Amino acid sequence: MITLDKYNFIGKKASVRVDFNVPLDKSFKITDDTRLKACIPTISKILKDGGSVILMSHLGRPKSGPEEKSSLKHVVQWLKDTYKTTVHFADDCIGKSASEMAVSLKAGEILLLENLRFYKQEEAGDESFAKTLASYGDVWVNDAFGTAHRAHASTAVMGKFFSDRVCGFVMQAELENAEKVLGNAVRPYTAIMGGSKVSDKIMIIEKLLDRVDNLIIGGGMTYTFVLAEGGKIGKSISEPDKVDLAKKIIEKAKANGVNLYFPIDNVCADNFSNDANRKIVAKGEIEDGWEGLDIGPESVEMFKKVVESSKTILWNGPMGVFEMPNFAIGTNAIADSVVKATANGGYSLIGGGDSASAVNNAGYGDQVSYVSTGGGALLEYMEGKILPGVAALA
């Protein structure tokens, strides 16, 4: 695999697959530019070498062709302000304007193509579509780790039309940081798994039970484990059909000598609302009509002790419904503990998605070791799956 630092882009038009899937408000203003900032080193390196950049990405989940809320034109001004260069925008990624702009693109300039997913061929991995996209550039750079687990036209198929395929800085950093928790991690090694469903995390949990010393489980998936132990969960989110799976995880943890931690108390509400009535209830004692939306104070203290004594930490998934301030206390406390462990010499990898949002929203993004930009891709990589976007770079 060729890395960006080993390639000179002078005189080259680089087709760069980036992940510009950023959130926009109702006025189409960018509300979180983390993913845009992540690509600055890659784009800057190409421009500094004397090359030009053709940016390709998706944004949102357009269902049937072009739509205003998913247009990448809303990113153009940010690019102009950041790179202080000419930024062209092609309003059709495989239209005449795109090919003409690519031909006339000068060294030091940027061309941004419209949302690739406005065409169904992108997600279908269509070869003809990929070939058209590939025709614009001289070299392919994949810097979109967040979509590397998808065999889409721009994330994987495009690679076959280039003799020069280069791994971008984001992609390289993601893979290198994942290896730090997959390889010989410094111990004690603690994994924190949150989120709503056991079924979403079962494969990564099983892999982690072969590697970690401690596994902390929080979030909605907790209540499936409570069911497995015969506890009461009221109307809390759960997967009754995954109770046997939960029991197997508990058994495997014991067999492997892994310390398995569950919340011992929960913050419950009588309604799924930030303003709902709240009370703290012991594990397995949630009454009918109430649901658990966060971990309780005793759980916070227990988890903090484990996290702050760890030397390697992997965190994926919130401890509760952190989007609601009254139920974000547990997630914020974990973020604080991860920061403290990192300051104490530990290594911390935040596994994208909601965990990354929680850390960034708390202002801790630069106080942990690495914040992944790709939740699903990171999980699949750690599960041992081959990522099409990575394999295409070989």
Side-chain angles (χ1 to χ4, degrees):
M1 187 183 294
I2 302 172
T3 52
L4 208 74
D5 58 322
K6 299 290 196 298
Y7 194 92
N8 192 331
F9 290 88
I10 187 169
K12 300 278 190 180
K13 292 177 182 176
S15 293
V16 187
R17 181 42 160 108
V18 289
D19 184 0
F20 280 2
N21 185 24
V22 295
L24 305 173
D25 64 18
K26 292 180 180 179
S27 299
F28 309 118
K29 302 294 184 185
I30 299 164
T31 58
D32 182 352
D33 62 358
T34 302
R35 286 175 171 166
L36 301 178
K37 287 180 176 177
C39 294
I40 289 176
T42 292
I43 296 170
S44 296
K45 200 282 187 187
I46 297 169
L47 296 176
K48 187 177 179 181
D49 278 359
S52 54
V53 177
I54 302 168
L55 297 173
M56 306 179 180
S57 181
H58 72 285
L59 195 161
R61 297 180 177 178
K63 295 179 180 179
S64 55
E67 55 185 33
E68 182 73 10
K69 68 178 181 179
S70 298
S71 175
L72 279 165
K73 69 182 179 183
H74 305 303
V75 176
V76 172
Q77 191 58 51
W78 189 97
L79 294 173
K80 289 180 179 178
D81 293 342
T82 301
Y83 296 101
K84 311 298 183 188
T85 189
T86 301
V87 178
H88 304 277
F89 178 69
D91 59 6
D92 183 342
C93 65
I94 57 171
K96 185 179 180 182
S97 63
S99 58
E100 289 179 347
M101 287 181 183
V103 168
S104 60
L105 195 64
K106 297 180 177 65
E109 294 183 345
I110 294 172
L111 167 60
L112 174 64
L113 303 184
E114 181 57 286
N115 194 335
L116 301 174
R117 290 189 185 174
F118 284 170
Y119 285 91
K120 294 187 181 299
Q121 293 95 316
E122 161 65 3
E123 292 182 89
D126 184 84
E127 284 208 14
S128 177
F129 182 75
K131 188 174 183 179
T132 298
L133 294 174
S135 68
Y136 306 149
D138 307 308
V139 52
W140 182 55
V141 178
N142 194 353
D143 211 26
F145 181 77
T147 54
H149 57 316
R150 309 294 187 195
H152 294 172
S154 67
T155 61
V157 183
M158 261 182 78
K160 68 172 61 180
F161 300 106
F162 291 92
S163 56
D164 291 352
R165 299 180 292 274
V166 183
C167 176
F169 285 137
V170 172
M171 180 78 78
Q172 182 181 354
E174 293 277 1
L175 297 173
E176 289 175 351
N177 279 279
E179 287 302 322
K180 289 181 182 178
V181 295
L182 283 173
N184 297 317
V186 180
R187 298 187 180 279
Y189 178 4
T190 297
I192 308 161
M193 290 285 118
S196 60
K197 296 181 179 180
V198 178
S199 54
D200 288 343
K201 303 285 175 73
I202 180 58
M203 291 187 71
I204 184 65
I205 287 175
E206 290 192 332
K207 287 284 184 181
L208 289 170
L209 288 175
D210 293 327
R211 292 188 168 94
V212 303
D213 301 300
N214 308 302
L215 176 59
I216 293 172
I217 291 182
M221 74 169 83
T222 300
Y223 305 108
T224 300
F225 286 93
V226 174
L227 284 180
E229 295 177 331
K232 292 189 286 185
I233 65 168
K235 61 177 182 179
S236 305
I237 188 172
S238 66
E239 294 178 285
D241 60 325
K242 296 295 186 294
V243 164
D244 288 341
L245 194 58
K247 290 179 180 178
K248 289 179 182 177
I249 290 172
I250 294 171
E251 291 169 2
K252 183 172 180 178
K254 288 179 181 177
N256 288 15
V258 174
N259 301 311
L260 190 56
Y261 295 91
F262 296 108
I264 53 178
D265 60 345
N266 304 94
V267 180
C268 299
D270 60 356
N271 188 27
F272 192 80
S273 166
N274 186 59
D275 301 321
N277 294 311
R278 307 187 302 278
K279 63 180 177 180
I280 296 168
V281 177
K283 174 185 177 184
E285 297 182 11
I286 302 177
E287 301 171 5
D288 291 345
W290 290 75
E291 58 188 318
L293 297 182
D294 196 8
I295 59 175
E298 291 184 22
S299 303
V300 166
E301 290 306 311
M302 178 176 68
F303 291 174
K304 282 174 69 173
K305 289 177 182 177
V306 177
V307 173
E308 289 172 24
S309 64
S310 301
K311 288 301 178 184
T312 300
I313 302 163
L314 168 66
W315 181 18
N316 183 277
M319 296 293 98
V321 188
F322 79 105
E323 298 90 346
M324 299 182 194
N326 285 330
F327 304 104
I329 295 170
T331 298
N332 290 339
I334 291 297
D336 186 64
S337 291
V338 172
V339 167
K340 288 179 180 176
T342 308
N344 198 34
Y347 171 81
S348 52
L349 172 59
I350 312 304
D354 288 338
S355 305
S357 296
V359 168
N360 288 328
N361 290 345
Y364 288 148
D366 58 351
Q367 296 179 57
V368 296
S369 302
Y370 190 75
V371 180
S372 175
T373 59
L378 178 67
L379 290 181
E380 290 199 18
Y381 186 72
M382 295 189 69
E383 288 166 6
K385 294 179 180 177
I386 295 173
L387 305 187
V390 176
L393 288 165

Coordinates of all heavy atoms in Angstrom, one line a residue, residues 56-111:
M56 N -14.4 13.8 -4.1 CA -15.6 13.0 -4.3 C -16.1 12.6 -3.0 O -15.3 12.1 -2.2 CB -15.3 11.8 -5.2 CG -14.6 12.2 -6.5 SD -14.2 10.7 -7.5 CE -13.5 11.4 -8.9
S57 N -17.4 12.7 -2.8 CA -18.0 12.3 -1.5 C -19.5 12.1 -1.6 O -20.1 12.3 -2.7 CB -17.7 13.4 -0.4 OG -18.2 13.0 0.8
H58 N -20.0 11.6 -0.5 CA -21.5 11.6 -0.4 C -21.9 12.5 0.7 O -21.0 12.9 1.5 CB -22.0 10.1 -0.2 CG -21.7 9.6 1.2 ND1 -20.4 9.2 1.6 CD2 -22.5 9.5 2.3 CE1 -20.5 8.9 2.9 NE2 -21.7 9.0 3.3
L59 N -23.1 12.8 0.8 CA -23.6 13.6 2.0 C -25.1 13.2 2.2 O -25.9 13.2 1.3 CB -23.6 15.1 1.7 CG -23.7 16.0 2.9 CD1 -23.1 17.4 2.6 CD2 -25.2 16.2 3.3
G60 N -25.4 12.7 3.4 CA -26.7 12.3 3.7 C -27.1 11.0 3.1 O -26.3 10.3 2.6
R61 N -28.4 10.8 3.0 CA -29.0 9.6 2.4 C -30.1 9.9 1.4 O -31.3 9.6 1.6 CB -29.5 8.7 3.5 CG -28.5 8.2 4.4 CD -29.1 7.2 5.5 NE -28.0 6.7 6.4 CZ -28.3 5.9 7.4 NH1 -29.5 5.5 7.7 NH2 -27.3 5.5 8.2
P62 N -29.7 10.5 0.3 CA -30.7 10.9 -0.7 C -31.4 9.6 -1.3 O -30.7 8.6 -1.5 CB -29.9 11.6 -1.8 CG -28.4 11.1 -1.6 CD -28.3 10.9 -0.2
K63 N -32.7 9.7 -1.4 CA -33.5 8.5 -1.8 C -33.7 8.4 -3.3 O -33.7 7.3 -3.8 CB -34.8 8.5 -1.1 CG -34.6 8.4 0.5 CD -36.0 8.4 1.2 CE -35.8 8.3 2.7 NZ -37.1 8.4 3.4
S64 N -33.9 9.5 -4.0 CA -34.2 9.4 -5.4 C -33.7 10.6 -6.1 O -34.4 11.5 -6.5 CB -35.7 9.3 -5.6 OG -36.4 10.3 -5.0
G65 N -32.4 10.7 -6.3 CA -31.8 11.7 -7.0 C -31.5 13.0 -6.2 O -31.5 13.0 -5.0
P66 N -31.1 14.1 -6.9 CA -30.7 15.3 -6.3 C -31.7 15.9 -5.3 O -32.9 15.8 -5.6 CB -30.5 16.3 -7.4 CG -30.2 15.4 -8.6 CD -31.1 14.2 -8.4
E67 N -31.2 16.4 -4.2 CA -32.1 17.1 -3.2 C -31.2 18.2 -2.5 O -30.0 17.9 -2.3 CB -32.7 16.2 -2.2 CG -31.7 15.3 -1.5 CD -32.4 14.3 -0.6 OE1 -33.5 13.8 -0.9 OE2 -31.8 14.0 0.5
E68 N -31.8 19.3 -2.2 CA -31.1 20.4 -1.7 C -30.3 20.1 -0.4 O -29.2 20.5 -0.2 CB -32.0 21.6 -1.4 CG -31.4 22.9 -0.9 CD -30.6 23.6 -2.0 OE1 -30.7 23.3 -3.2 OE2 -29.9 24.6 -1.6
K69 N -31.0 19.4 0.5 CA -30.4 19.1 1.8 C -29.2 18.2 1.8 O -28.4 18.1 2.7 CB -31.4 18.6 2.8 CG -31.9 17.2 2.4 CD -32.9 16.7 3.4 CE -33.4 15.3 3.1 NZ -34.4 14.8 4.1
S70 N -29.0 17.6 0.6 CA -27.9 16.6 0.5 C -26.8 17.1 -0.5 O -25.9 16.3 -0.9 CB -28.4 15.2 0.1 OG -29.2 14.7 1.1
S71 N -26.9 18.3 -0.9 CA -26.0 18.9 -1.9 C -24.7 19.2 -1.3 O -24.6 19.9 -0.2 CB -26.6 20.1 -2.6 OG -25.6 20.6 -3.5
L72 N -23.6 18.9 -1.9 CA -22.3 19.2 -1.5 C -21.9 20.7 -1.8 O -20.8 21.1 -1.4 CB -21.2 18.3 -2.1 CG -21.1 16.9 -1.3 CD1 -20.4 15.9 -2.2 CD2 -20.4 17.1 0.0
K73 N -22.8 21.4 -2.5 CA -22.5 22.8 -2.8 C -22.4 23.6 -1.5 O -21.7 24.6 -1.4 CB -23.5 23.4 -3.7 CG -24.9 23.6 -3.1 CD -25.9 24.1 -4.1 CE -27.3 24.3 -3.6 NZ -28.2 24.7 -4.6
H74 N -23.0 23.0 -0.4 CA -23.0 23.7 0.9 C -21.6 23.7 1.6 O -21.4 24.3 2.6 CB -24.0 23.1 1.8 CG -25.4 23.1 1.2 ND1 -26.0 24.3 0.8 CD2 -26.3 22.1 0.9 CE1 -27.2 24.0 0.3 NE2 -27.4 22.7 0.4
V75 N -20.7 22.9 1.0 CA -19.4 22.7 1.5 C -18.4 23.6 0.8 O -17.3 23.9 1.3 CB -18.9 21.3 1.4 CG1 -17.5 21.1 1.9 CG2 -19.9 20.4 2.2
V76 N -18.7 24.2 -0.3 CA -17.8 24.9 -1.2 C -17.2 26.1 -0.5 O -16.0 26.3 -0.5 CB -18.6 25.4 -2.5 CG1 -17.7 26.4 -3.3 CG2 -19.0 24.2 -3.4
Q77 N -18.0 26.9 0.2 CA -17.4 28.1 0.9 C -16.4 27.7 2.0 O -15.4 28.4 2.1 CB -18.6 28.9 1.5 CG -18.1 30.3 2.0 CD -17.5 31.2 0.9 OE1 -18.1 31.3 -0.2 NE2 -16.3 31.7 1.1
W78 N -16.7 26.6 2.7 CA -15.8 26.2 3.7 C -14.4 25.8 3.1 O -13.4 26.1 3.6 CB -16.4 24.9 4.4 CG -15.6 24.5 5.6 CD1 -15.8 24.8 6.9 CD2 -14.4 23.7 5.6 NE1 -14.9 24.2 7.7 CE2 -14.0 23.5 7.0 CE3 -13.6 23.0 4.6 CZ2 -12.9 22.8 7.4 CZ3 -12.5 22.3 5.0 CH2 -12.1 22.2 6.4
L79 N -14.5 25.2 1.9 CA -13.2 24.8 1.2 C -12.5 26.1 0.7 O -11.3 26.1 0.9 CB -13.6 23.9 0.0 CG -14.2 22.6 0.3 CD1 -14.6 21.9 -1.0 CD2 -13.1 21.7 1.0
K80 N -13.2 27.1 0.3 CA -12.6 28.3 -0.2 C -11.9 29.0 1.0 O -10.8 29.5 0.9 CB -13.6 29.2 -0.8 CG -14.1 28.8 -2.2 CD -15.1 29.8 -2.8 CE -15.6 29.3 -4.2 NZ -16.6 30.2 -4.7
D81 N -12.6 29.1 2.1 CA -12.1 29.7 3.3 C -10.9 29.0 3.9 O -9.9 29.6 4.4 CB -13.2 29.8 4.4 CG -14.3 30.7 4.0 OD1 -14.1 31.6 3.1 OD2 -15.4 30.6 4.6
T82 N -10.9 27.7 3.8 CA -9.8 26.9 4.4 C -8.5 26.8 3.5 O -7.4 27.0 4.0 CB -10.3 25.5 4.6 OG1 -11.5 25.5 5.5 CG2 -9.2 24.6 5.3
Y83 N -8.7 26.6 2.2 CA -7.5 26.4 1.4 C -7.1 27.6 0.6 O -6.0 27.6 0.0 CB -7.8 25.2 0.4 CG -8.1 23.9 1.1 CD1 -9.3 23.4 1.4 CD2 -7.0 23.2 1.6 CE1 -9.5 22.3 2.1 CE2 -7.2 22.0 2.3 CZ -8.5 21.6 2.6 OH -8.7 20.4 3.3
K84 N -7.9 28.7 0.6 CA -7.5 30.0 0.0 C -7.0 29.8 -1.4 O -6.0 30.3 -1.9 CB -6.3 30.6 0.8 CG -6.5 30.7 2.3 CD -7.7 31.6 2.6 CE -7.8 31.7 4.2 NZ -9.1 32.4 4.6
T85 N -7.8 29.0 -2.2 CA -7.5 28.7 -3.6 C -8.8 28.7 -4.4 O -9.9 28.8 -3.8 CB -6.7 27.4 -3.7 OG1 -6.3 27.3 -5.1 CG2 -7.6 26.2 -3.4
T86 N -8.7 28.5 -5.7 CA -9.9 28.4 -6.5 C -10.6 27.1 -6.3 O -9.9 26.0 -6.4 CB -9.5 28.6 -8.0 OG1 -8.9 29.8 -8.2 CG2 -10.7 28.5 -8.9
V87 N -11.9 27.1 -6.0 CA -12.6 25.9 -5.8 C -13.8 25.9 -6.8 O -14.6 26.7 -6.8 CB -13.2 25.8 -4.4 CG1 -14.0 24.5 -4.2 CG2 -12.1 25.8 -3.3
H88 N -13.7 24.9 -7.7 CA -14.8 24.7 -8.7 C -15.8 23.7 -8.2 O -15.5 22.8 -7.4 CB -14.2 24.2 -10.0 CG -13.1 25.0 -10.6 ND1 -13.3 26.1 -11.4 CD2 -11.7 24.9 -10.5 CE1 -12.2 26.7 -11.7 NE2 -11.2 25.9 -11.2
F89 N -17.0 23.8 -8.6 CA -18.1 22.9 -8.2 C -18.8 22.4 -9.4 O -19.4 23.1 -10.2 CB -19.1 23.5 -7.2 CG -20.2 22.6 -6.8 CD1 -19.9 21.5 -6.0 CD2 -21.5 22.8 -7.2 CE1 -20.9 20.7 -5.6 CE2 -22.5 22.0 -6.8 CZ -22.2 20.9 -6.0
A90 N -18.8 21.1 -9.6 CA -19.5 20.4 -10.7 C -20.9 19.9 -10.2 O -20.9 19.0 -9.3 CB -18.7 19.3 -11.3
D91 N -22.0 20.5 -10.7 CA -23.3 20.1 -10.1 C -23.8 18.8 -10.6 O -25.0 18.4 -10.2 CB -24.3 21.2 -10.5 CG -24.5 21.5 -12.0 OD1 -23.9 20.7 -12.7 OD2 -25.2 22.4 -12.3
D92 N -23.1 18.0 -11.3 CA -23.4 16.7 -11.7 C -22.1 15.9 -11.7 O -21.3 16.2 -12.6 CB -24.1 16.7 -13.1 CG -24.6 15.3 -13.5 OD1 -24.1 14.3 -13.0 OD2 -25.4 15.2 -14.4
C93 N -22.0 14.9 -10.9 CA -20.7 14.2 -10.7 C -20.2 13.5 -12.0 O -19.0 13.2 -12.2 CB -20.7 13.3 -9.5 SG -21.8 11.9 -9.6
I94 N -21.2 13.1 -12.9 CA -20.8 12.4 -14.1 C -21.3 13.2 -15.3 O -21.4 12.6 -16.4 CB -21.2 10.9 -14.2 CG1 -22.7 10.8 -14.0 CG2 -20.5 10.1 -13.1 CD1 -23.3 9.4 -14.3
G95 N -21.6 14.5 -15.1 CA -22.1 15.3 -16.2 C -21.0 15.9 -17.0 O -19.8 15.8 -16.7
K96 N -21.4 16.6 -18.1 CA -20.4 17.3 -19.0 C -19.6 18.3 -18.2 O -18.4 18.5 -18.4 CB -21.2 18.0 -20.1 CG -20.3 18.6 -21.2 CD -21.1 19.2 -22.3 CE -20.2 19.8 -23.3 NZ -21.0 20.5 -24.4
S97 N -20.2 19.0 -17.2 CA -19.5 20.1 -16.5 C -18.4 19.5 -15.7 O -17.3 20.0 -15.6 CB -20.5 20.8 -15.5 OG -21.0 19.9 -14.6
A98 N -18.6 18.3 -15.1 CA -17.5 17.6 -14.3 C -16.3 17.3 -15.2 O -15.2 17.6 -14.8 CB -18.1 16.4 -13.7
S99 N -16.6 16.7 -16.3 CA -15.5 16.3 -17.2 C -14.7 17.5 -17.7 O -13.5 17.5 -17.8 CB -15.9 15.4 -18.4 OG -16.9 16.1 -19.1
E100 N -15.5 18.5 -18.1 CA -14.8 19.8 -18.7 C -14.0 20.5 -17.6 O -12.9 21.0 -17.8 CB -15.9 20.7 -19.2 CG -16.5 20.2 -20.5 CD -17.6 21.1 -21.1 OE1 -18.0 22.0 -20.3 OE2 -18.0 20.9 -22.2
M101 N -14.5 20.6 -16.4 CA -13.8 21.2 -15.3 C -12.6 20.4 -14.9 O -11.5 21.0 -14.6 CB -14.7 21.4 -14.0 CG -15.8 22.4 -14.2 SD -16.8 22.5 -12.7 CE -18.0 23.8 -13.2
A102 N -12.7 19.1 -15.0 CA -11.5 18.2 -14.6 C -10.4 18.5 -15.7 O -9.2 18.5 -15.3 CB -11.9 16.8 -14.6
V103 N -10.8 18.6 -16.9 CA -9.8 18.7 -18.0 C -9.0 20.1 -17.8 O -7.8 20.2 -18.0 CB -10.4 18.7 -19.4 CG1 -9.5 19.2 -20.5 CG2 -10.9 17.3 -19.7
S104 N -9.8 21.1 -17.4 CA -9.2 22.5 -17.4 C -8.6 22.8 -16.0 O -8.1 23.9 -15.8 CB -10.2 23.5 -17.7 OG -11.3 23.5 -16.9
L105 N -8.7 21.8 -15.0 CA -8.2 22.1 -13.7 C -6.7 22.4 -13.6 O -5.9 21.6 -14.2 CB -8.6 20.9 -12.8 CG -8.5 21.1 -11.3 CD1 -9.5 22.1 -10.8 CD2 -8.7 19.7 -10.6
K106 N -6.3 23.4 -13.0 CA -4.9 23.8 -12.9 C -4.3 23.4 -11.6 O -5.0 23.2 -10.6 CB -4.8 25.3 -13.0 CG -5.3 25.9 -14.4 CD -5.1 27.4 -14.4 CE -5.5 28.0 -15.8 NZ -6.9 27.8 -16.1
A107 N -3.0 23.2 -11.6 CA -2.3 22.9 -10.4 C -2.6 23.9 -9.3 O -2.7 25.1 -9.5 CB -0.8 22.9 -10.6
G108 N -2.9 23.3 -8.1 CA -3.2 24.2 -6.9 C -4.7 24.4 -6.8 O -5.1 25.1 -5.8
E109 N -5.5 24.0 -7.7 CA -6.9 24.2 -7.7 C -7.7 23.0 -7.2 O -7.1 21.9 -7.2 CB -7.5 24.6 -9.0 CG -7.0 26.0 -9.5 CD -7.6 26.4 -10.9 OE1 -8.2 25.5 -11.5 OE2 -7.5 27.6 -11.2
I110 N -8.9 23.2 -6.7 CA -9.8 22.1 -6.2 C -11.1 22.1 -7.0 O -11.7 23.1 -7.4 CB -10.1 22.4 -4.7 CG1 -8.9 22.3 -3.9 CG2 -11.2 21.4 -4.3 CD1 -9.1 22.7 -2.4
L111 N -11.5 20.9 -7.4 CA -12.8 20.6 -8.0 C -13.6 19.7 -7.1 O -13.1 18.6 -6.8 CB -12.6 20.0 -9.4 CG -13.9 19.4 -10.0 CD1 -14.9 20.4 -10.2 CD2 -13.5 18.7 -11.3

